[in-house]
Amino acid sequence: MLKLKRFGVSIEQALLEKFDAHIKKKNYTNRSKAISDLMRKEFVVEEYKKNSSIAGAITIVFNHHKRDLMDKITDIQHASHNLIISSQHIHLDHDNCLEIIAVKGKYLKVKELADKLNSVKGVSHKSLCVSTAEKCI
Ligand code: NI
């Protein structure tokens, strides 16, 4: 069981009301969990800026009718197979595909892979969602 610590915080009323409305929309039932999650999120950002080991997901959307596009995406992924845990291909509609690539490795290498995939002509959207792979707090 984690040891919990209580502390008092002074904050502008308007800001607190906005925060409460925001966390209610996100289905938090109390401020403690919401504040803890914000702190963790901030620490994750700090960690990966130091080129720490991260785990995450790259998602790309592309039009599979573009010439040689699937081959290029596959080649890039094979060249970085050491960073890729798994991938899932979803046929979104007649033209577009979504690929979700689970990744694990040093942040800068993972970011380089995400940028390479995004630079392929025909890739219309890319996102890189990062979580820490080192210590969880
Ligand atoms: Ni497809």
Side-chain angles (χ1 to χ4, degrees), residues 14 40-41 44 51 56 62-65 71 76 81 89 96 103 117 121-122 131-132:
R40 286 191 193 93
K41 191 174 170 185
V44 166
N51 198 24
F62 54 91
N63 183 324
H64 74 102
H65 296 303
D71 283 347
I76 292 169
H81 66 89
H89 183 104
N96 296 297
V103 288
L117 289 165
K121 196 172 178 184
S131 189
T132 184

Side-chain angles (χ1 to χ4, degrees), residues 83-137:
L83 298 172
I84 297 173
I85 302 165
S86 72
S87 66
Q88 184 175 22
H89 183 104
I90 296 128
H91 310 302
L92 286 179
D93 55 37
H94 183 264
D95 302 318
N96 296 297
C97 303
L98 166 71
E99 201 143 313
I100 304 167
I101 305 159
V103 288
K104 189 177 173 188
K106 292 289 183 188
Y107 170 70
L108 292 177
K109 289 284 181 195
V110 171
K111 186 173 183 322
E112 188 180 298
L113 169 61
D115 290 342
K116 257 187 215 167
L117 289 165
N118 191 45
S119 72
V120 175
K121 196 172 178 184
V123 173
S124 58
H125 180 78
K126 174 221 59 170
S127 75
L128 170 60
C129 176
V130 173
S131 189
T132 184
E134 294 187 341
K135 54 190 179 283
C136 283
I137 51 172

